[in-house]
Amino acid sequence: MNQFYIYFPMLIFIFIIWFKDLSLSFAAPFKIKTLSIITLSILITRYIALFILCLAENIKLLYFFKPFYFASFIAVPVLILCTIYIIFKNNKINFLYVFLLEFIALILYIITLYYFNIVIKVDSSIGFIMLFNNESAYYLYLIEISIILLLILYLGNIKNFDKAAWISAAAIVLIIEILLIIMKIRILPEYLAGELITLIVFGKALNMVKKQ
């Protein structure tokens, strides 16, 4: 089967889930609403970039999309941390730490964009794709998500097992996808399953806030 028929519907579905999460964010408490809207706004630039690269014909202009193409490196960890804050709120996690970690993630992202070059490749199914030419960029992302997974497992005691399970699933899928990229195994031209699950889980967390 042409990978386009898997990839493109998944991208459209991500747009739908993103809009749903954004609408739920406006009903959340001020701190969560602010962080959610900022982070989702950063993340949507990636999906717009992916969509444009599917249709683009001129490679020269595509380097402009580098900061947006890899926006998941900063936005996805923050969404998971925000989800952790919501579902484990009884553990009295200071929301200031989430903002601090977002700032650290932003600095790491800027450093990554500055020090690591990208290559643009043509995929016969979906058009252009971007890759860092140094695997160290992906290792940084892998370490970041792995630390977050350890945090989830630490907080996910027996009482919170069900909550920890679905957010752990998002982190595990992301880790698997990063490892596949590092090992140069391409099941799909661009991996989106981990981000899709993250957005779904984040929406579930925002629904919990709305019901409260």
Side-chain angles (χ1 to χ4, degrees), residues 42-56:
I42 293 171
L43 189 57
I44 194 62
T45 63
R46 165 169 165 77
Y47 304 130
I48 293 172
L50 292 177
F51 186 76
I52 291 173
L53 263 68
C54 282
L55 305 175

Side-chain angles (χ1 to χ4, degrees), residues 37-194:
I37 292 173
I38 292 172
T39 307
L40 288 170
S41 297
I42 293 171
L43 189 57
I44 194 62
T45 63
R46 165 169 165 77
Y47 304 130
I48 293 172
L50 292 177
F51 186 76
I52 291 173
L53 263 68
C54 282
L55 305 175
E57 296 181 358
N58 189 344
I59 193 172
K60 293 181 180 179
L61 298 177
L62 298 185
Y63 286 94
F64 169 78
F65 294 101
K66 176 184 174 181
F68 311 115
Y69 192 93
F70 298 100
S72 56
F73 279 41
I74 175 175
V76 169
V78 174
L79 287 181
I80 296 177
L81 287 169
C82 195
T83 305
I84 292 171
Y85 172 78
I86 294 170
I87 68 176
F88 297 124
K89 200 169 182 181
N90 291 336
N91 293 58
K92 297 182 178 178
I93 302 171
N94 194 325
F95 197 74
L96 180 62
Y97 295 150
V98 181
F99 272 107
L100 179 61
L101 288 169
E102 180 178 29
F103 178 74
I104 294 171
L106 177 60
I107 297 299
L108 288 173
Y109 181 60
I110 293 171
I111 292 171
T112 300
L113 291 178
Y114 182 79
Y115 281 103
F116 298 110
N117 294 321
I118 62 162
V119 291
I120 297 178
K121 295 185 176 182
V122 180
D123 182 88
S124 58
S125 300
I126 66 165
F128 294 102
I129 59 172
M130 290 185 184
L131 294 167
F132 282 109
N133 63 354
N134 190 322
E135 293 175 356
S136 298
Y138 297 106
Y139 279 112
L140 287 173
Y141 190 35
L142 177 64
I143 291 169
E144 190 176 12
I145 300 298
S146 298
I147 291 172
I148 291 173
L149 177 60
L150 290 175
L151 176 62
I152 297 167
L153 296 175
Y154 172 75
L155 294 173
N157 51 41
I158 295 176
K159 183 179 178 182
N160 294 313
F161 177 79
D162 58 329
K163 297 176 181 178
W166 39 270
I167 191 167
S168 296
I172 290 170
V173 172
L174 285 166
I175 289 171
I176 292 171
E177 289 181 335
I178 300 167
L179 288 172
L180 289 174
I181 293 172
I182 292 171
M183 293 186 290
K184 295 180 172 57
I185 299 173
R186 285 278 167 179
I187 299 171
L188 286 174
E190 185 67 33
Y191 290 114
L192 295 173

Side-chain angles (χ1 to χ4, degrees), residues 196-209:
L196 176 58
I197 296 171
T198 299
L199 285 168
I200 292 171
V201 170
F202 183 60
K204 288 172 67 71
L206 289 174
N207 263 319
M208 289 171 56
V209 174

Side-chain angles (χ1 to χ4, degrees), residues 7-24:
Y7 175 81
F8 198 72
M10 186 180 292
L11 187 57
I12 296 297
F13 189 50
I14 282 179
F15 272 105
I16 295 170
I17 299 299
W18 181 90
F19 277 110
K20 182 180 178 181
D21 286 358
L22 184 66
S23 63
L24 288 170

